[in-house]
């Protein structure tokens, strides 16, 4: 296909501006990778080999490219309504240089966030990045990974002889852009060589093949965020289906990585109990014998701010967010959220704990909130 044809095909997908369109398309079980609608380069990024490689890659694809006049300034993303602006931002990819090398803390699950990328092409209505990235969550990848990893080394030395854990998914889902940057692969190999550094990340995507044959030394824990296919289909547009995530988890387990699952957010709906239990049983049937992954269970909750963001960006959302059906609770970060009432929480706890301990007798449930 010539460049012009490719470009007009992409522009058509932009024009249709549907959530989930132009970012990941499925044909049967084949998942096509994320392809941005436009790419914005920071001039300094072109001084790095990865920046140059990506420039050639997107030039060959005929994708619209711009230079940003200054770091952190991205203009010209189209869209009139909040929804259009949100969709277009998620189809825009900035190739930049990570300047802030002071890593944010990441308590309680890790010591530091490891900044590999920002934002994600998925359209989960309850995305945990909504509050931090606002209504225009432009994707960013960084070409100076070596500098980022050098900084990680300093943090590891500072905490020596204690182990230091880094979380790679605090600001993005790192899998969709991995085929472009190779950052996860390099990071996993970096941590494999450290004595006191550990790495973990979580994903809702399934494109893990490039990670299977690299040396990880069991220093990286890969976690998959799972839900029932009903919830994924309704609220996690643009991510991998449940079957794809389970299949990816099987590959990761066979490659010998420490493995974990987040079941989140657990939502009560017609038939929820049966579908969640079936998903856990399917997982047990697919993983290699003797697997004992860890589980983190998070029930659905929302803040007033998150609800108002979701209503702006996803005006047709059917996400259950009726405050009168919830209990108000102050969280550890000082703001209040609406959680399921005590009785429903008790029911969720009993059902999940009983079933997980039956099908994964040696697994640990780290927490249920
Ligand atoms: S996959 Fe994760 S980071 Fe991406 S939109 Fe969904 S919740 Fe957000």
């Amino acid at each position: 296909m010539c460049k012009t044809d490719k470009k007009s095909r992409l522009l058509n997908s932009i024009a249709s501006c549907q959530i989930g369109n132009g970012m990941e398309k499925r044909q049967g079980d084949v998942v096509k990778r994320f392809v941005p609608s436009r790419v914005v380069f920071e001039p300094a990024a072109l001084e790095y080999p990865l920046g140059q490689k990506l420039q050639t890659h997107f030039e060959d694809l005929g994708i619209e490219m711009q230079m940003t006049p200054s770091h952190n300034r991205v203009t010209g993303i189209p869209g009139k309504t909040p929804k259009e602006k949100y969709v277009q931002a998620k189809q825009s990819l900035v190739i930049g240089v990570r300047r802030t090398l002071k890593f944010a803390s990441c308590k309680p699950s890790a010591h530091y966030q490891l900044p590999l990328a920002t934002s994600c092409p998925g359209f989960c209505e309850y995305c945990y990045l909504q509050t931090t990235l606002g209504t225009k969550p432009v994707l960013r990848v960084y070409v100076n990974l070596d500098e980022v990893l050098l900084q990680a080394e300093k943090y590891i030395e500072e905490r020596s002889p204690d182990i230091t854990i880094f979380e790679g998914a605090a600001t993005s889902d790192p899998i969709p852009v991995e085929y472009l940057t190779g950052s996860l692969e390099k990071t996993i190999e970096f941590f494999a060589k450290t004595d006191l550094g550990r790495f973990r990340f979580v994903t809702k995507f399934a494109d893990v093949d490039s990670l299977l044959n690299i040396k990880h030394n069991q220093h990286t824990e890969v976690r998959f965020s799972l839900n029932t296919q009903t919830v994924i289909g309704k609220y996690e547009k643009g991510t991998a289906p449940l079957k794809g995530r389970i299949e990816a988890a099987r590959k990761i387990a066979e490659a010998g990585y420490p493995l974990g699952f987040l079941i989140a957010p657990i939502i009560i709906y017609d038939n929820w109990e049966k579908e969640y239990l079936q998903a856990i049983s399917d997982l047990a049937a697919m993983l290699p014998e003797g697997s004992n992954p860890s589980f983190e269970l998070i029930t659905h909750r929302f803040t007033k701010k998150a609800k108002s963001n979701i209503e702006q960006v996803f005006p047709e959302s059917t996400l259950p967010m009726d405050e009168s059906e919830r209990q108000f609770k102050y969280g550890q970060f000082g703001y209040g959220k609406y959680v399921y009432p005590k009785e429903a929480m008790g029911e969720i706890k009993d059902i999940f704990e009983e079933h997980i301990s039956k099908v994964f007798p040696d697994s640990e449930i780290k927490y249920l909130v």
Side-chain angles (χ1 to χ4, degrees):
M1 187 184 285
C2 76
K3 285 184 187 179
T4 324
D5 286 345
K6 279 182 184 169
K7 189 165 183 179
S8 54
R9 182 170 52 83
L10 283 159
L11 290 175
N12 283 341
S13 76
I14 297 167
S16 62
C17 196
Q18 296 287 314
I19 282 179
N21 205 358
M23 20 87 52
E24 184 181 311
K25 298 161 191 158
R26 295 194 179 102
Q27 291 169 338
D29 277 348
V30 180
V31 177
K32 284 199 178 177
R33 287 162 162 170
F34 162 66
V35 178
S37 298
R38 64 193 65 75
V39 181
V40 182
F41 283 87
E42 286 177 9
L46 295 174
E47 292 164 20
Y48 291 79
L50 179 58
Q52 292 155 9
K53 191 183 119 191
L54 290 173
Q55 186 185 36
T56 309
H57 173 79
F58 289 119
E59 241 166 37
D60 286 350
L61 285 179
I63 288 177
E64 180 189 329
M65 291 200 283
Q66 304 163 16
M67 297 297 283
T68 172
S70 69
H71 172 66
N72 257 349
R73 198 156 157 254
V74 180
T75 52
I77 293 173
K80 291 195 186 79
T81 64
K83 177 178 169 178
E84 280 174 6
K85 286 180 189 161
Y86 185 85
V87 172
Q88 293 298 335
K90 285 209 163 209
Q91 291 177 351
S92 308
L93 176 66
V94 176
I95 315 288
V97 175
R98 179 74 191 187
R99 282 160 209 265
T100 320
L101 290 175
K102 188 176 182 314
F103 296 177
S105 82
C106 195
K107 291 199 171 114
S109 67
H111 297 99
Y112 294 105
Q113 302 181 5
L114 189 77
L116 296 179
T118 302
S119 192
C120 156
F123 287 93
C124 304
E125 295 186 11
Y126 33 63
C127 177
Y128 60 104
L129 303 176
Q130 300 247 27
T131 25
T132 46
L133 298 183
T135 48
K136 280 197 188 173
V138 173
L139 267 91
R140 280 175 195 275
V141 294
Y142 307 109
V143 294
N144 56 332
L145 181 66
D146 291 344
E147 289 160 32
V148 172
L149 294 178
L150 208 64
Q151 183 62 32
E153 209 164 277
K154 287 185 190 155
Y155 282 118
I156 293 170
E157 275 163 25
E158 268 174 30
R159 286 184 37 85
S160 169
D162 292 334
I163 295 272
T164 305
I165 305 171
F166 295 82
E167 168 61 60
T171 53
S172 72
D173 187 312
I175 289 286
V177 289
E178 175 62 10
Y179 85 99
L180 294 168
T181 63
S183 296
L184 271 180
E185 182 179 334
K186 269 189 161 183
T187 301
I188 291 168
E189 287 175 338
F190 164 83
F191 280 99
K193 288 190 207 130
T194 66
D195 287 332
L196 298 174
R198 297 291 181 274
F199 180 52
R200 65 200 312 249
F201 70 91
V202 60
T203 185
K204 286 189 170 84
F205 291 82
D207 192 3
V208 296
D209 288 4
S210 65
L211 309 181
L212 301 180
N213 296 314
I214 59 176
K215 192 163 180 329
H216 56 74
N217 213 10
Q218 298 205 313
H219 286 183
T220 292
E221 182 192 24
V222 183
R223 287 129 73 227
F224 288 87
S225 172
L226 299 184
N227 220 309
T228 65
Q229 187 51 46
T230 302
V231 170
I232 291 173
K234 269 189 179 169
Y235 306 121
E236 298 185 0
K237 299 267 172 11
T239 63
L242 175 62
K243 204 174 134 204
R245 295 184 208 178
I246 292 180
E247 174 61 19
R250 181 188 64 72
K251 292 180 190 172
I252 286 290
E254 283 174 350
Y257 284 92
L259 178 67
F261 295 99
L262 257 91
I263 304 185
I266 297 167
I267 294 182
I268 294 180
Y269 61 93
D270 286 348
N271 219 24
W272 66 278
E273 188 179 334
K274 195 166 161 231
E275 291 186 21
Y276 278 107
L277 298 191
Q278 187 61 52
I280 295 167
S281 297
D282 291 349
L283 187 60
M286 283 291 285
L287 291 183
E289 209 172 312
S291 299
N292 53 353
S294 63
F295 287 89
E296 296 160 76
L297 309 176
I298 305 173
T299 56
H300 181 245
R301 66 251 346 271
F302 58 91
T303 59
K304 275 234 182 280
K305 182 156 191 281
K307 180 176 175 179
S308 119
N309 281 354
I310 292 167
E311 283 171 345
Q312 266 193 51
V313 177
F314 303 97
E316 306 90 18
S317 176
T318 58
L319 200 57
M321 291 188 295
D322 182 346
E323 289 89 341
S324 68
E325 292 175 2
R326 299 296 180 105
Q327 188 176 319
F328 187 74
K329 194 177 161 191
Y330 275 104
Q332 57 169 323
F333 302 111
Y335 52 81
K337 51 196 160 192
Y338 293 90
V339 299
Y340 281 118
K342 218 172 167 185
E343 205 173 280
M345 288 295 286
E347 195 183 352
I348 292 171
K349 184 173 184 292
D350 292 347
I351 287 167
F352 276 81
E353 283 183 353
E354 189 193 325
H355 196 62
I356 289 174
S357 64
K358 195 165 96 194
V359 296
F360 289 105
D362 297 321
S363 279
E364 179 198 5
I365 298 178
K366 290 190 168 172
Y367 57 84
L368 183 150
V369 290

